[in-house]
């Protein structure tokens, strides 16, 4: 017996880094000063001169999920060039993570905004790269705990 597996190939390689010390303050993950969350992207399709993409971000913990609103995903413009690493952190993540641009499930928004803190617990910081024109997912969903 032989088994054939079809792994989906994605044209963008995405890496997520969450730098210690791990802050309880939500804004530290998109602050230019702290750079607690950093993303690295490499476009691997050399058949195209470039690709305009967006980032789909989420922070997921026990009973809570904070994610970029669908309508803000495509407001930023990131142009990837084949083979050239692109780094996103700080203020380049801010438009997707500002309070008015996120959906929160499992925790009261007003309490979250007033405290500015993530509820106690372990979190996964997740990202995907999406084609700006078609909405097609271009990378694996990468989560860093």
């Amino acid at each position: 017996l032989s088994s054939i597996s079809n792994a989906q190939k994605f044209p963008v390689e995405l890496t997520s880094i969450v730098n210690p010390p791990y802050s309880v303050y939500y804004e530290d993950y998109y602050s230019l000063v702290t750079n607690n969350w950093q993303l690295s992207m490499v476009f691997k399709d050399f058949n195209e001169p470039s690709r305009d993409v967006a980032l789909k971000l989420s922070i997921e913990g026990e009973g809570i999920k904070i994610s970029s609103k669908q309508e803000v995903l495509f407001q930023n413009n990131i142009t990837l060039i084949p083979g050239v690493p692109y780094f996103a952190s700080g203020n380049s993540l801010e438009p997707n993570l500002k309070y008015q641009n996120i959906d929160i499930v499992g925790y009261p928004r007003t309490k979250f905004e007033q405290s500015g803190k993530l509820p106690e617990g372990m979190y996964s910081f997740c990202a995907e790269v999406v084609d700006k024109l078609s909405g097609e997912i271009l990378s694996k969903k990468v989560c860093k705990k």
Side-chain angles (χ1 to χ4, degrees):
L1 287 175
S2 68
S3 173
I4 298 175
S5 116
N6 290 330
Q8 186 172 2
K9 297 211 179 219
F10 293 102
V12 177
E13 184 177 303
L14 175 64
T15 305
S16 178
I17 302 162
V18 180
N19 296 309
Y22 306 110
S23 178
V24 296
Y25 293 98
Y26 173 68
E27 290 182 11
D28 284 346
Y29 294 99
Y30 63 85
S31 166
L32 183 58
V33 177
T34 58
N35 281 330
N36 282 24
W37 190 10
Q38 299 173 328
L39 299 170
S40 168
M41 295 162 267
V42 178
F43 185 41
K44 301 182 299 182
D45 185 350
F46 287 87
N47 295 318
E48 294 185 44
S50 65
R51 192 86 172 253
D52 289 335
V53 301
L55 291 170
K56 187 176 183 179
L57 305 176
S58 65
I59 300 173
E60 303 171 19
E62 198 170 310
I64 182 173
K65 181 176 181 179
I66 302 163
S67 56
S68 308
K69 288 184 178 180
Q70 191 67 30
E71 59 268 20
V72 300
L73 289 182
F74 304 104
Q75 289 180 359
N76 289 342
N77 192 37
I78 297 170
T79 301
L80 299 180
I81 299 167
V84 179
Y86 183 94
F87 300 97
S89 65
N91 64 349
S92 59
L93 301 180
E94 181 189 28
N96 290 48
L97 295 173
K98 289 192 298 189
Y99 290 108
Q100 66 268 27
N101 293 341
I102 57 172
D103 289 320
I104 303 172
V105 176
Y107 195 78
R109 175 180 280 279
T110 53
K111 187 174 180 180
F112 179 65
E113 288 181 4
Q114 286 172 353
S115 73
K117 295 180 181 180
L118 294 166
E120 195 172 312
M122 298 289 292
Y123 287 88
S124 293
F125 293 79
C126 301
E128 288 176 289
V129 178
V130 198
D131 183 87
K132 191 162 183 171
L133 294 175
S134 69
E136 173 190 4
I137 304 290
L138 300 176
S139 73
K140 288 183 186 176
K141 183 176 182 178
V142 175
C143 294
K144 185 71 176 177
K145 292 186 180 208

